Amino acid sequence: MVGSTLKRFVAARRLFSFFSNDFAIDLGTANTVIYVRNKGIVLNEPSVVAVHAHTEEVLAAGHKAKAMLGKTPETIIASRPMRDGVIANFQLCESMLRHFIREVHDNRRMLVSPFMVIGVPSGITQV
């Protein structure tokens, strides 16, 4: 009984993987790397994000945001959401990840959510 259920799940997963991208994300302190199955590494950007201070709209992420570090007006916040391998600012980290995933994800495959694997360090806290 369990074997047949597993076979059905694997068959359904193969069918849905045709319609979606499968990602592997390495969220690091210095760089964020995204690997897409059958394409390889498609994104290798610095873990930096620039957002509007009042609306929290992402203005830039990665190399463009890194160039903005220390050079932004008061209305723009450019920072690194990761410190020492730990997420220091959850909202900025979420915004950065959303930006990177939208950049990599094909718009034509929006019917099915992508399957994602995210690497985390072994010595992290519960958060």
Side-chain angles (χ1 to χ4, degrees):
M1 185 72 175
V2 175
S4 64
T5 305
L6 181 61
K7 287 180 184 178
R8 282 190 218 129
F9 174 76
V10 170
R13 180 72 201 132
R14 281 190 191 144
L15 176 67
F16 286 121
S17 70
F18 178 73
F19 296 108
S20 73
N21 286 334
D22 293 341
F23 295 106
I25 300 174
D26 179 19
L27 183 62
T29 303
N31 287 329
T32 298
V33 179
I34 297 182
Y35 171 87
V36 176
R37 189 174 53 149
N38 298 330
K39 291 184 181 178
I41 294 175
V42 295
L43 185 124
N44 186 359
E45 298 268 345
S47 297
V48 183
V49 64
V51 295
H52 193 275
H54 302 296
T55 63
E56 297 183 7
E57 174 190 1
V58 176
L59 302 174
H63 292 294
K64 292 178 183 177
K66 187 176 180 182
M68 297 171 74
L69 279 173
K71 303 173 188 174
T72 60
E74 294 176 5
T75 59
I76 298 174
I77 299 170
S79 70
R80 295 182 174 272
M82 303 283 294
R83 298 266 188 242
D84 300 323
V86 179
I87 297 173
N89 189 325
F90 291 103
Q91 292 171 338
L92 288 179
C93 189
E94 178 187 0
S95 299
M96 180 184 71
L97 278 175
R98 282 183 192 271
H99 180 81
F100 286 153
I101 290 170
R102 283 188 186 131
E103 193 173 306
V104 171
H105 196 328
D106 294 339
N107 288 333
R108 63 183 170 85
R109 296 184 176 192
M110 291 303 252
L111 297 174
V112 180
S113 299
F115 183 74
M116 290 188 213
V117 175
I118 299 178
V120 293
S122 62
I124 63 171
T125 62
Q126 291 178 353
V127 176

